[in-house]
Amino acid sequence: MTGYDEMRGDGPVVRDLYAGVGAWLDAMPPALLSRRRAEAEFIFRRTGITFAVYEEGGDPDRLIPFDIIPRLIDAREWDFLHRGLAQRVRALNAFLADAYGSRDFLRAGRIPEHLVTRNPEFVPYMNGFAVPGGCYTHVAGIDVVRTARDEFHVLEDNCRVPSGVAYMLEDREVMMRLFPELFGAYRVRPVSHYPEELLRTLQSVAPRNCDGDPVVVLLSPGQFNSAYYEHSFLADEMGIELVEGADLLVRDGLVCMRTTRGLRRVDVVYRRIDDAYLDPLAFRPDSALGVPGLMAAYRAGNVTIANAPGAGIADDKAVYCHVPEMIRFFLGEEPTLQNVPTWQCSLEDERAYVLEHLADLVVKSVHGSGGYGMLVGPHATRAEREEFAARIRATPGRYIAQPTLALSTCPTFVGDTVVPRHVDLRPYVLCGRSSDPASIDVRMVAGGLTRVALPAGSLVVNSSQGGGTKDTWVVDGPAGEEG
Amino acid sequence: MLLSRTADNLFWMARYIERAESTARLLDVGRRMASVVTEPDAAASEWASTIDAAGCEATFASAHDIHTAGNVIDHLVRDVRNPSSIFASLAVVRQNARVVRTALSQDVWDAVNGMWIESQAWRDDDFTVAGLPRILDWVKERSQRFGGAVANTMLRSEAYWWVRLGTFLERAENSARIVDVKYHVLIPRPPGEAGPLDEYQWGAVLRAVSAYRAYHWVYRDRLDPVRVAELMILRPEMPRSLVSCIAQVTYYLERIASDGSHAPDGGASPVRADLAPERGEVSRRPLAISRAIEDGLRTATIERIYGEGLHEFLTRFIGTMNSIGHEIRREYLLGE
Amino acid sequence: MRLRIHHATTYEYASPVDTATQVVRLTPRNDFGQVMLNWEVRASATLGDPSDAGRPRVPIRAQLVATEDGYGNRVHLLSVASPHRSTRLVAGGVVETSHALAEANGGTTDLPLSYWLRETPHARAASTIQQFIDSSGFRPEEESDWTPSEHVLERMMHDVRARIDFTVGATHVLTTADEAMARGAGVCQDHAHALIAVARALGIPARYVSGYMWPGHDHVVNASHAWVDLHVPGRGWMAFDPANDCRPGDAYVRVAIGLDYFDASPTRGVRQGTAIGERMDVQVEIYPVDPGPLPQGAGISGQV
């Protein structure tokens, strides 16, 4: 399947946007590109930017492959994306506030009630609680794919603990070190201020009773987590403490960290652990992990947890179908960014269609992530399709299906040649307290993380499935190009 | 202000690298002693006292029957079931360093990580009496490189103080252990009665702490057992003497206990007073012990120490180092 | 009826525990037709051997902070910060109850009915309960749009009770509904879990309720109680007490509701440090008082 070629557009010639990259590639012998790629890898390894795989046979020091050809987005395209992303994230937060509050959206029949009330990610502890600043998804990662010159679709919303932003930042660092001359050919919008923006966002949602500068910490599961590098990187860049559950405790209703100078109050917990491990007194009774009493301290208004517990009800793939309706309902606007058409296997006629067309569709598990538990129909064997059909019949509510999209491609250096490979884009959208209490403050740095499927023809970009990353450039080019 | 867990990791990283070096130095004494005795029983007894001095009697007994050179080298160098063995220590060092990597300079990390990677390259035939000197030199050299990287590249902030505190507390304890291996030969002799073997043994103790030449610089005389003990315990110009080590421990405990006005964040991190009840008196407990020991050593004479009994004195000193470690944990590392 | 309640929970350890954090639900709800006239929750902790009467007990600071959970239950967070060998929680006060409790409406919780169909690991219809349902005939197969009558629900409660003998010590807090029914023995928590599992499997929304019951004679009851709310279309929420095989009335005081025991349990906590030889003692006294004028200083207070 061939998708929209972001370098050449639909025609045989290179788009003006990519002219600089084209000229640069023409002037670069493959041997030199290879050498630069090796240098990039050396830098990544030396800095310790790894995505550890701790399962049996996994490599604790595995690198995510990095492609040295940048992916370009022009200002007009980015403005469009920015508008659509901000709109979508506002609607998702409004939906969450509603789902844990007055539930008007449910009562109006805009979403089947059980998708909220019986969602495994629904956290009853959040019911009737007004979160600080009205923010639930302080960091949202919205996965966007491009299918034509002016067609972008949202593939997935990540409202819990989206990761990967460290790669966005490190990819840019490495590119600026290796290819300063290419930056001379473009006006690339910066991304390096992301940690400051994140810190500002987190501080903005500090509890009302916080006195002085809010103390923010990053709560990590520890060094055996695959994203540990990112946790320590972000904590370092923000100048905040990187803590684990045992470093925190609740005393007199306040969350404190243990330091060499005694207990110190914590105002905002930027957590990179799942809900179930936050507090053994509020979640799994059998779990010894987490900070006992954290949720009670949260509800008492003494600490802010980001992202908010229970935000996961907004990002499963069955709820996804209803996001355009959220935009209309809560914002009174038409969605700027479209969803990918989605069939819900829980509905009888849609299920029948899916089972009939398995060979053309992508089937995903409603609560799955990371590219696990999914079937790419056109690439699957007959046996795999039959196995999936059986699973769908057994538990239809757990699956949705989408058409196999022709994801756009970007020039990618594979082996020793430059070839087109499918890409997606994960921009990181930050939500903080707004001076207008009825609203939230949405901000983002230009671009995001471009993920690229390295095997020829592959549409799976997830890093856990062998995907790589690219630096993403939002370019303020000469205006009026391409018309 | 540091997270207690971070301070704990830095402290133990430094302690274990120092422990690895000290174990190497103890083995060096044992090797030199065993090489000059002729009867196998005497050699075994030299190796046995090395195990005792390292405080590894119990783990050794559960792993081996007899104190052969091979068994002792295996146990103290590479047996990971012995938590004090050199290789087990290096594993702990790297594990701790990995967790606090962002608190370390790149050079310190490289020193630790490089040591770990190289430790994987030793082969079976290196763990023999013949191969031992090379391993011991490697450990000492690598540990020195770590110390150099810490001294030359780490920011003078609380993280640095914790690394230094770990180093000197461990060194104080281990210097005492090294003297204790041979306390029974360090007994006063009338001049002329000491044989060449005695002199050799005294020399071995000094060489183990790289102080053979230092002795002659300080005393400008032939070896005398009481002076060997004095140099190792009371002489402030001797960097591994007990008094020097404890003076460093005191210094870094003072830094850590200071009210934060020397902290890199200028003390701008107020601890809620109501959450940290009455820390004043209590928080200086480890410091108070350390100061008392230091004052005692500065005014002590070697005659008084011999009056108490050298072994008894050293045992008491090692016990006190343990209580300082215990108090440090209680005051700072639990974070309350 | 006006009921006075005194509920004391004591934990003792053979060796000191470093710190403890507990979530405490010991404040009656001020809704469902019951009115809390006065109430207070207190906590204390001591160091020193509790069994050694001669030695002084050193008081240790035990702090309570009041908050609320997502069901509208009043929650206190208890933290004991230093080593201690005993903790004591005392809750008590006066509550005005009403007969309307059998119809358990009027609660401030607004979670949709479908929420109360969620399965939980402890109140779930696994094989034993599924078999029980299959052989019960509660739900006629031919009726696709079935609404259970109050009578059917009472039979359901009766049958659950008949399958599980009231036996103290046969189960523990982590026992599931299915295990209790397979064993044929349990306490009020198990009866409640079993009835909830049966009801939800049949599409009937169900809530776990924890609280107190005045048995009508004795004052000292030694335990708090647990029962169930079931929802009947057209009638609303109705209370059922499967452990006693009866319908709750004004002898019942509601403290907390939730999906199962873990949402509504009076106390749930973690300790640091080895808790050797833990002993927990619960004492509940409950008795009716004159519905005369209120005692001096009466008022609604969750905490002192």
Side-chain angles (χ1 to χ4, degrees), chain A residues 298-463:
Chain A
Y298 182 41
R299 273 208 76 131
N302 291 335
V303 71
T304 300
I305 302 175
N307 290 356
I313 57 168
D315 73 4
D316 81 42
K317 296 180 185 70
V319 171
Y320 160 89
C321 304
H322 304 277
V323 177
E325 195 54 33
M326 293 174 195
I327 294 170
R328 293 183 197 103
F329 186 85
F330 293 110
L331 309 181
E333 299 169 9
E334 275 306 305
T336 302
L337 282 169
Q338 300 304 314
N339 265 15
V340 176
T342 302
W343 290 274
Q344 301 185 59
C345 298
S346 57
L347 305 174
E348 205 176 326
D349 45 344
E350 299 196 5
R351 176 167 68 247
Y353 178 87
V354 170
L355 289 171
E356 216 166 289
H357 296 87
L358 266 189
D360 309 320
L361 300 175
V362 176
V363 182
K364 294 176 180 173
S365 148
V366 168
H367 301 295
S369 69
Y372 291 106
M374 90 188 228
L375 176 90
V376 182
H379 297 173
T381 63
R382 192 187 174 81
E384 285 167 340
R385 287 201 294 268
E386 274 165 14
E387 193 217 319
F388 245 81
R391 284 204 237 167
I392 292 170
R393 284 192 193 95
T395 49
R398 288 210 192 141
Y399 296 95
I400 54 105
Q402 294 170 338
T404 312
L405 293 181
L407 303 191
S408 60
T409 61
C410 283
T412 305
F413 188 56
V414 178
D416 57 1
T417 50
V418 176
V419 286
R421 286 291 181 266
H422 296 292
V423 295
D424 81 349
L425 177 69
R426 174 178 287 185
Y428 296 88
V429 185
L430 302 175
C431 300
R433 197 194 294 270
S434 158
S435 51
D436 170 9
S439 181
I440 57 172
D441 187 34
V442 178
R443 51 181 70 221
M444 55 197 101
V445 301
L449 178 68
T450 290
R451 300 185 297 180
V452 52
L454 293 171
S458 169
L459 295 166
V460 185
V461 297
N462 303 80
S463 52

Side-chain angles (χ1 to χ4, degrees), chain A residues 96-128:
Chain A
L96 284 162
D98 185 70
Y100 289 111
S102 56
R103 282 181 281 273
D104 296 332
F105 193 58
L106 278 68
R107 259 196 292 278
R110 304 300 172 96
I111 189 172
E113 189 178 280
H114 72 270
L115 288 183
V116 172
T117 57
R118 303 193 64 183
N119 191 310
E121 294 297 323
F122 184 85
V123 174
Y125 222 97
M126 299 297 292
N127 186 44

Side-chain angles (χ1 to χ4, degrees), chain A residues 101 103 113 116-120 122 124-125 127 250-253 258 280-285 292-293 296-297 299-300, chain C residues 19 21-23 61 63 65 67-71 75 77 79 81 110-115 117-118 262 268-270 272:
Chain A
R103 282 181 281 273
E113 189 178 280
V116 172
T117 57
R118 303 193 64 183
N119 191 310
F122 184 85
Y125 222 97
N127 186 44
V250 177
R251 172 111 358 129
D252 301 354
R258 303 168 192 271
L281 298 184
F283 295 94
R284 308 156 59 126
R299 273 208 76 131
Chain C
T19 65
T21 308
Q22 284 199 332
V23 166
R61 208 163 79 105
Q63 183 77 19
V65 173
T67 171
E68 204 183 72
D69 68 12
Y71 302 113
V75 174
L77 186 63
S79 39
D110 55 352
L111 282 161
L113 290 176
S114 61
Y115 174 78
L117 290 170
R118 285 172 81 104
F262 296 99
R268 186 166 153 186
V270 293
Q272 270 195 348

Side-chain angles (χ1 to χ4, degrees), chain A residues 247 258-261 263-264, chain B residues 2 4-5 158 258 336:
Chain A
D247 296 323
R258 303 168 192 271
T259 80
T260 52
R261 300 193 183 280
L263 295 180
R264 187 175 178 203
Chain B
L2 273 186
S4 294
R5 182 171 50 87
E158 203 182 339
S258 66
E336 295 189 32

Side-chain angles (χ1 to χ4, degrees), chain B residues 103-118:
Chain B
L104 304 175
S105 64
Q106 183 69 38
D107 299 77
V108 173
W109 167 253
D110 285 346
V112 169
N113 200 34
M115 187 172 190
W116 165 257
I117 290 167
E118 286 173 20

